[in-house]
Amino acid sequence: MAASASCISLVVLVALATVASAQLSPTFYDTSCPRALATIKSGVMAAVSSDPRMGASLLRLHFHDCFVQGCDASVLLSGMEQNALPNNGSLRGFGVIDSIKTQIEAICAQTVSCADILTVAARDSVVALGGPSWTVPLGRRDSIDANEAAANSDLPGPTSSRSDLELAFSNKGLLTVDMVALSGAHTIGQAQCGTFKDRIYNETNIDTTFATSLRANCPRSGGDGSLANLDTTTANTFDNAYYTNLMSQKGLLHSDQVLFNNDTTDNTVRNFASNPAAFSSAFTTAMIKMGNIAPKTGTQGQIRLSCSRVNS
């Protein structure tokens, strides 16, 4: 009976996911705003060119949006989710999105949502840093509220265990392989000392030379805002080096290294480390799935005139 019920619920979930994604279309703006995608791309390319770290910041911004009440640009609203522990003092890229929004409003007034701009910007950021491209389904609308409590509860953190990570991703309809692939976003960007301090001083599954090198800029007390590259091999290139680092016990965050720690995800890490094409394929698949988490479509929400506030 239990097996039958779970099969039925799975069918329902798949059906609901299909309905949600069917409401999004890569050609959504072809007629209403044909220059939208080119405008987003040029804005992202310029931002990443002047600050390579911005690519990782925009990608993270999209992730932190989708994991809290779906991909609805709620994270872009001033205050609220931005004040949540996983976001406060670490989210970046709001100015880039605002600038792109202003440019798009000038050519297509109240047509392109902030949620879609952020989703496309995440893809373009990966491409700008040498990573794979993918077709982004479009047609999301913007939320009229945000949820700080959900940001605190739903976003996995730097000290998460493997099972914590699996649960957080599963709750959003993502598989373990999606979780391992999306973690590969840490092949770019930086993290603050406060997020990995405990690891470099207290954990044993870390390369000793790697730990020692990090301690220089991350003392036992103070220095929590000091930055370190998540991928010390190719910090500003989107590649599969992240997984090679994990196999050498050089994952910066606790939540990185748990993916390769004599556990169930070890083989997936090995596969992505040895097969760049397998990683690229899994990553793009997972990004599309993540971008399809609970989008607002049709008459839901609104098309915000400014990404940082709801329309008056």
Side-chain angles (χ1 to χ4, degrees):
M1 187 68 180
S4 174
S6 63
C7 287
I8 292 171
S9 62
L10 180 60
V11 169
V12 171
L13 280 173
V14 171
L16 288 173
T18 304
V19 169
S21 59
Q23 293 172 329
L24 302 178
S25 165
T27 61
F28 191 83
Y29 297 113
D30 282 10
T31 302
S32 62
C33 194
R35 289 163 55 196
L37 294 185
T39 303
I40 297 170
K41 182 178 181 180
S42 64
V44 170
M45 294 295 280
V48 175
S49 177
S50 64
D51 175 12
R53 185 185 169 209
M54 188 54 68
S57 296
L58 291 172
L59 181 56
R60 182 171 184 254
L61 203 53
H62 175 51
F63 169 70
H64 281 229
D65 180 36
C66 292
F67 260 59
V68 183
Q69 66 183 32
C71 308
D72 60 359
S74 59
V75 75
L76 301 180
L77 291 171
S78 295
M80 294 177 280
E81 285 176 29
Q82 295 178 10
N83 295 328
L85 186 62
N87 297 334
N88 192 20
S90 66
L91 283 186
R92 304 169 74 241
F94 298 108
V96 175
I97 299 300
D98 286 342
S99 175
I100 292 171
K101 176 65 172 174
T102 299
Q103 293 175 54
I104 289 183
E105 282 299 312
I107 57 175
C108 315
Q110 207 164 353
T111 303
V112 182
S113 69
C114 298
D116 275 344
I117 291 173
L118 184 53
T119 307
V120 175
R123 187 272 311 272
D124 292 345
S125 293
V126 171
V127 174
L129 294 172
S133 185
W134 61 94
T135 301
V136 178
L138 301 163
R140 297 167 191 79
R141 287 168 64 85
D142 300 324
S143 65
I144 57 173
D145 60 8
N147 192 329
E148 182 179 345
N152 279 318
S153 64
D154 293 8
L155 287 164
T159 60
S160 295
S161 66
R162 183 198 52 75
S163 58
D164 289 338
L165 292 171
E166 283 191 320
L167 179 60
F169 281 75
S170 174
N171 285 341
K172 305 301 175 184
L174 298 168
L175 305 174
T176 298
V177 66
D178 299 322
M179 179 264 287
V180 179
L182 290 171
S183 296
H186 286 178
T187 185
I188 53 175
Q190 298 177 315
Q192 296 181 12
C193 162
T195 64
F196 59 83
K197 179 177 293 186
D198 187 64
R199 171 159 165 73
I200 64 174
Y201 286 102
N202 299 317
E203 296 186 10
T204 56
N205 60 342
I206 185 169
D207 178 86
T208 52
T209 303
F210 176 60
T212 301
S213 69
L214 290 165
R215 290 171 186 167
N217 289 316
C218 187
R220 283 185 183 272
S221 61
D224 284 7
S226 298
L227 297 170
N229 292 326
L230 284 157
D231 171 6
T232 57
T233 313
T234 49
N236 294 321
T237 302
F238 195 97
D239 54 22
N240 67 331
Y242 168 80
Y243 300 101
T244 309
N245 293 339
L246 295 186
M247 292 177 65
S248 302
Q249 294 192 314
K250 294 178 182 177
L252 182 63
L253 306 178
H254 176 86
S255 58
D256 291 322
Q257 196 59 55
V258 293
L259 301 181
F260 192 81
N261 194 38
N262 297 315
D263 214 328
T264 54
T265 49
D266 284 14
N267 283 338
T268 306
V269 170
R270 289 190 186 95
N271 183 35
F272 291 164
S274 63
N275 191 338
F279 166 53
S280 291
S281 177
F283 182 79
T284 56
T285 296
M287 283 296 292
I288 293 169
K289 288 174 69 174
M290 186 176 78
N292 284 344
I293 296 175
K296 288 176 172 57
T297 57
T299 57
Q300 297 174 310
Q302 61 182 206
I303 304 297
R304 281 189 228 139
L305 294 167
S306 168
C307 292
S308 63
R309 61 181 184 273
V310 298
N311 300 340
S312 55

